[in-house]
Amino acid sequence: MSTAAPERPITVEEDPAAVGFDPARLARVDTHFRRYVDDGRLAGWQAVVARHGKVVHASTHGRRDEEADLPVEADTRWRIYSMTKPITSVGALILFERGELELTDPISRWLPAFAEPRVYVKGSATAPLTMPSPEPVRVWHLLTHTAGLTYGFHHAHPVDELYRSRGFEWGVPEGMDLAACVDAWAQMPLVHTPGTEWNYSHATDVLGRLIEVVSGQSLDAFLRAEILDPLGMTTTGFQADDPSRTAALYALGPGRTRVRADGMGEPFLRPPTWLSGGGGMVSTASDYHRFTQMLARGGELDGVRILGSRTVAYMGRNHLPGGLDLEQVGRPLFAEMPFHGVGFGLGVSVVTDPAAYRTLVSPGEMAWGGAASTAFWVDPAEGITALFLTQLLPSSAHPIRSQMRSLVYQALVD
């Protein structure tokens, strides 16, 4: 972890009424989600809302560790899982801005295992029929999850089963580092031809390995030097800096009861065997809030510029083929958010049609979340950023993301 100055506590910085919120209506965020703790759906949570760069709501409720009776506090550490992906994606865009890679470059230029990808045609996981891919896997395919890679935990396609049979479901085979994982994924068939469909996958993990090869640094060192330290994100990393302040992990068990999941949560408390740019980080509300503010301000925060403003704007455009949404080009699989009216940019989802989304949002909203029900969004149109942090697997367990949006936007009255 970094030896930089201690993190800045997350506190309310602005009267909500001064930036267009009705304070009484904004308080509904807490009223609503307290019920999640009171009835046992969640052990605890933390919520942060900001507008025009100022925090207008910051709250915690419940226990970070229910069995030990430890409360959620302002500096609680959370496993952010796939909220790691936007950080890794920003890392790749830093290299893009420096001319060290092009979005259209075949990744085999740096990762030779991807020189001759093959695409699944039909058959079982034990005897798949494949064909040579008519298109190479390119950098932009990794950033948009259109590379044809997958996750073993999807349980939606024979190639998913193939990943599981090789030890890739919620983890990786013992002893494998990131380079070895990428080589293994490259030897398995693609679910589809790159650039033709969207399939949530290990693409961002491969992107992390690409960053390593292009930069000549390990992924953790590169992200620390280029993003985390410059932004003052001192408690964010691939291992919890203080396990005693880290939230316990829970999962839905039989009958939708909540059970402790220490086995899945423990890897975040020790040095990682592989660096997952797609889901391996631990963070705090104050740290991740700074990351959202950097995006909201067009790549700059407190005089430190991470990306150019045009790059952030480009990141937040829909890059899916034909300008279609996830419902039209996404593979049918579980999701914690609707696919209608949502496209995908470079590392983040992008709202294209709020009416089709059936949720109170703005066009152009950039967002993503994590497997343990965490979520964030950045709304350039309204100047709003929001975070919801908790620790419950899977993220589809409850409609937290849509409810958080409704609760925030119903309080906006300017």
Side-chain angles (χ1 to χ4, degrees):
M1 296 302 298
S2 170
T3 57
E7 63 172 334
R8 310 170 194 190
I10 195 83
T11 57
V12 173
E13 302 170 306
E14 183 70 83
D15 176 5
V19 290
F21 280 104
D22 180 326
R25 295 177 74 88
L26 192 57
R28 293 175 180 175
V29 171
D30 293 356
T31 302
H32 178 78
F33 286 114
R34 281 190 187 118
R35 290 196 289 267
Y36 270 75
V37 174
D38 294 344
D39 64 18
R41 283 175 286 175
L42 296 177
W45 51 261
Q46 187 169 12
V48 179
V49 181
R51 195 174 197 202
H52 305 317
K54 299 293 185 181
V55 176
V56 296
H57 185 88
S59 57
T60 63
H61 190 63
R63 297 289 180 265
R64 69 177 186 268
D65 186 321
E66 194 168 52
E67 290 72 20
D69 196 28
L70 297 173
V72 175
E73 297 177 301
D75 64 350
T76 293
R77 277 67 167 156
W78 306 93
R79 296 166 186 82
I80 60 171
Y81 282 100
S82 286
M83 281 168 57
T84 307
K85 287 181 170 71
I87 297 174
T88 302
S89 299
V90 166
L93 291 173
I94 289 171
L95 296 175
F96 166 65
E97 286 193 328
R98 293 174 182 170
E100 297 186 42
L101 55 78
E102 295 284 337
L103 297 183
T104 53
D105 283 336
I107 66 172
S108 59
R109 175 179 170 186
W110 299 279
L111 305 175
F114 278 95
E116 297 180 353
R118 299 187 67 85
V119 179
Y120 172 89
V121 176
K122 63 180 181 179
S124 67
T126 55
L129 176 65
T130 66
M131 69 174 189
S133 177
E135 167 75 3
V137 178
R138 302 182 188 274
V139 175
W140 77 268
H141 296 145
L142 298 179
L143 283 159
T144 58
H145 291 283
T146 60
L149 297 161
T150 194
Y151 274 127
F153 61 72
H154 283 329
H155 293 258
H157 191 278
V159 176
D160 305 344
E161 183 182 345
L162 183 57
Y163 273 57
R164 292 194 297 277
S165 72
R166 302 283 179 86
F168 298 103
E169 187 168 6
W170 282 100
V172 305
E174 186 175 355
M176 291 187 77
D177 62 9
L178 178 57
C181 290
V182 169
D183 286 346
W185 297 326
Q187 300 309 312
M188 288 185 271
L190 301 176
V191 173
H192 57 75
T193 299
T196 61
E197 300 181 48
W198 186 89
N199 193 64
Y200 199 43
S201 71
H202 280 294
T204 316
D205 292 316
V206 178
L207 190 69
R209 177 57 183 159
L210 186 70
I211 289 172
E212 291 190 327
V213 177
V214 174
S215 71
Q217 298 176 267
S218 64
L219 181 61
D220 55 348
F222 180 87
L223 297 180
R224 173 65 55 200
E226 301 292 344
I227 301 172
L228 303 180
D229 278 353
L231 290 178
M233 297 173 66
T234 59
T235 58
T236 301
F238 289 98
Q239 177 188 355
D241 68 324
D242 187 347
S244 70
R245 308 202 69 78
T246 303
L249 186 65
Y250 299 90
L252 281 188
R256 294 185 62 82
T257 58
R258 181 167 48 80
V259 297
R260 198 172 175 105
D262 286 340
M264 293 191 67
E266 193 273 337
F268 292 84
L269 306 181
R270 53 178 166 78
T273 58
W274 71 294
L275 297 172
S276 172
M281 281 188 162
V282 176
S283 191
T284 56
S286 58
D287 266 20
Y288 212 89
H289 170 68
R290 292 186 64 76
F291 182 74
T292 67
Q293 293 311 296
M294 179 274 293
L295 294 177
R297 290 170 57 96
E300 177 273 337
L301 182 65
D302 294 344
V304 175
R305 181 160 291 284
I306 304 298
L307 290 175
S309 60
R310 272 58 172 185
T311 305
V312 175
Y314 190 63
M315 180 183 180
R317 297 187 61 147
N318 181 21
H319 289 258
L320 294 181
L324 300 175
D325 67 11
L326 292 173
E327 180 65 24
Q328 294 165 303
V329 299
R331 286 268 163 167
L333 44 84
F334 91 92
E336 57 279 334
M337 65 176 202
F339 275 10
H340 292 282
V342 183
F344 207 83
L346 301 179
V348 290
S349 63
V350 180
V351 172
T352 58
D353 185 348
Y357 194 36
R358 299 291 189 267
T359 305
L360 281 174
V361 292
S362 300
E365 174 210 88
M366 297 184 287
W368 206 238
S373 302
T374 61
F376 85 95
W377 78 83
V378 175
D379 178 348
E382 295 286 2
I384 290 173
T385 64
L387 279 171
F388 189 89
L389 300 172
T390 187
Q391 290 286 268
L392 178 70
L393 295 166
S395 55
S396 56
H398 305 296
I400 290 171
R401 299 182 188 192
S402 59
Q403 291 176 353
M404 181 68 177
R405 283 171 171 83
S406 296
L407 290 161
V408 169
Y409 286 101
Q410 61 83 31
L412 198 60
V413 295
D414 65 353

